Amino acid sequence: MNICIVSSWVPSKRRPHFAPFVYNFAEKLGKFGHEVSLVSPLDDADESISHKDMITIYRVNAKLPIFSILRLVGKIKPQIIHVHAPNYFSCNAILAAKLKKIPIIATVHRAEVDKIGNPTFFFRKLALARFAKIIAVSDHTKSLAVKAGVKDSKITVIYNSCDERFFFYERDKEHLRRKLNFRCNDKLILFVGNLIKRKGVALLIESLHLLRATVPKFLAIIVGQGEELQNLKELVEKYGLNDYVKFYGRITKTELSELYAVADVFVLPSASEGHSVALLEAMASGLPIVASDIEGNKESVQDGVNGLLFKNASREELAENLANVVADQSLKQSMSIKSSENYLKKFSTKIQIDNYLKIYTSLLKTH
């Protein structure tokens, strides 16, 4: 099948770690034997056309992209146009699809259909009505899309997946800990994500201050970058946690997979989520989860089965749940197994791609 993906959420040379999941999705389709083109905004450091991992990437001017997108669609001749994260740039593909009589669908992740803090929400609402099908990455995202005016019957939930070449269960934890210079008896707590207020990392640091009273030997590994980094470092200093917290910034996927492999527990204290890919990476890696009890997280974390949920914004419950997981080896082992099993049963790459292909095929039959 010939598929054209249009999205501004694509890494570039200047921002190599920006929103990797759209590119990863295109790569998965290519590995399943499909012809995939990816259209994204042009960055001065990038070539206008490049080929990588069985994908052809086209970069076009983001200021007035309609003519370039229309020209590329005529050149590529896709059977399906798939917009990821509809916004000003990617929604220009709607006109190209209509003029060329090609079915067009959109995947929404959260922000695109969330009214809160979204000045372009009205325009996005109009654009969403023009797609033949809307894919939501979680039931929570679907509920936001319905509130945004999309008909329930037009929406299908297809969960995200992660890169299973890197994130998998049962690796040699002790060997990797020695390699990475972590002490074998330390309890390693891992967070991965953008360092923005919504992710709740300040709450995590406050909970670590409480955790120190019951778990004397732990290290919190915080992987990510963002506008809150300096504030978070100051908070660590304020609570005297310099020996208990390590910031990593952006790292390679191999390095990240090793941190998942050596960790004892993954923590996600976000105030809101669509469907966290980091959470899926942790599950695929066989980690027990401690997460806020928000809608997006509850679709992945079964409280008491593969993790523990805490009341959103409660540093006391967060600290208590972390202590319970790291202190109970039997509980930790049970949750590790369930995380891996639940990922494979519900969120695997094969399930994700098979579900998308069913949508593509159905639209081609009826278009």
Side-chain angles (χ1 to χ4, degrees), residues 31-285:
K31 288 182 177 175
F32 273 74
H34 301 280
E35 186 177 348
V36 184
S37 302
L38 184 54
V39 180
S40 65
L42 178 66
D43 187 306
D44 291 341
D46 290 291
E47 301 85 6
S48 58
I49 303 176
S50 59
H51 303 276
K52 185 180 179 184
D53 299 323
M54 295 177 285
I55 307 166
T56 302
I57 304 171
Y58 298 93
R59 308 265 184 183
V60 302
N61 191 304
K63 292 183 179 178
L64 191 62
I66 179 58
F67 299 109
S68 296
I69 291 175
L70 188 58
R71 175 181 57 81
L72 284 173
V73 167
K75 175 184 176 181
I76 297 165
K77 295 181 172 56
Q79 295 166 276
I80 292 283
I81 297 177
H82 186 166
V83 167
H84 260 274
N87 59 11
Y88 164 74
F89 175 83
S90 56
C91 282
N92 280 273
I94 296 172
L95 179 58
K98 301 302 180 186
L99 290 174
K100 299 292 184 180
K101 296 182 170 55
I102 300 169
I104 183 168
I105 72 168
T107 294
V108 293
H109 296 261
R110 183 195 57 85
E112 314 92 299
V113 288
D114 193 346
K115 294 181 182 180
I116 299 172
N118 191 342
T120 64
F121 177 77
F122 175 74
F123 300 100
R124 295 193 191 202
K125 181 177 177 179
L126 293 177
L128 289 171
R130 304 300 189 270
F131 292 100
K133 193 77 176 174
I134 300 293
I135 307 300
V137 300
S138 65
D139 287 323
H140 173 54
T141 301
K142 178 180 177 178
S143 71
L144 291 176
V146 170
K147 290 177 184 177
V150 182
K151 292 180 180 179
D152 186 285
S153 59
K154 196 176 184 179
I155 309 169
T156 297
V157 174
I158 301 178
Y159 289 115
N160 293 320
S161 66
C162 71
D163 192 334
E164 292 156 16
R165 298 170 302 174
F166 291 87
F167 307 106
F168 53 90
Y169 188 37
E170 292 187 324
R171 299 176 69 174
D172 190 337
K173 187 185 290 275
E174 289 188 10
H175 169 74
L176 285 171
R177 281 203 175 196
R178 289 193 296 270
K179 174 186 172 183
L180 300 176
N181 294 317
F182 292 121
R183 291 176 296 195
C184 290
N185 59 341
D186 271 357
K187 307 301 182 183
L188 299 185
I189 300 164
L190 178 64
F191 167 86
V192 178
N194 291 323
L195 302 185
I196 55 178
K197 287 185 178 180
R198 177 175 65 84
K199 291 292 186 177
V201 186
L203 180 77
L204 171 61
I205 292 170
E206 290 169 355
S207 76
L208 297 177
H209 174 58
L210 303 176
L211 181 66
R212 187 166 49 178
T214 55
V215 182
K217 292 184 178 181
F218 71 83
L219 179 66
I221 301 166
I222 297 175
V223 181
Q225 291 180 329
E227 62 195 28
E228 285 292 295
L229 177 59
Q230 187 55 41
N231 292 336
L232 296 172
K233 287 183 175 180
E234 290 174 4
L235 200 58
V236 167
E237 184 74 31
K238 172 185 173 181
Y239 287 118
L241 291 169
N242 290 302
D243 293 333
Y244 295 86
V245 178
K246 186 172 183 178
F247 290 94
Y248 266 78
R250 297 292 186 186
I251 56 179
T252 68
K253 197 175 287 189
T254 297
E255 291 168 332
L256 179 59
S257 71
E258 291 177 342
L259 290 178
Y260 279 113
V262 300
D264 291 290
V265 60
F266 178 80
V267 59
L268 189 65
S270 307
S272 64
E273 288 286 349
H275 192 227
S276 167
V277 174
L279 188 52
L280 297 180
E281 291 170 349
M283 289 176 64
S285 302

Side-chain angles (χ1 to χ4, degrees), residues 330-348:
S330 176
L331 178 66
K332 188 175 74 168
Q333 182 64 22
S334 171
M335 288 182 170
S336 293
I337 293 169
K338 284 297 181 182
S339 269
S340 177
E341 289 178 351
N342 289 359
Y343 174 83
L344 293 173
K345 288 177 182 177
K346 194 174 180 180
F347 308 117
S348 73

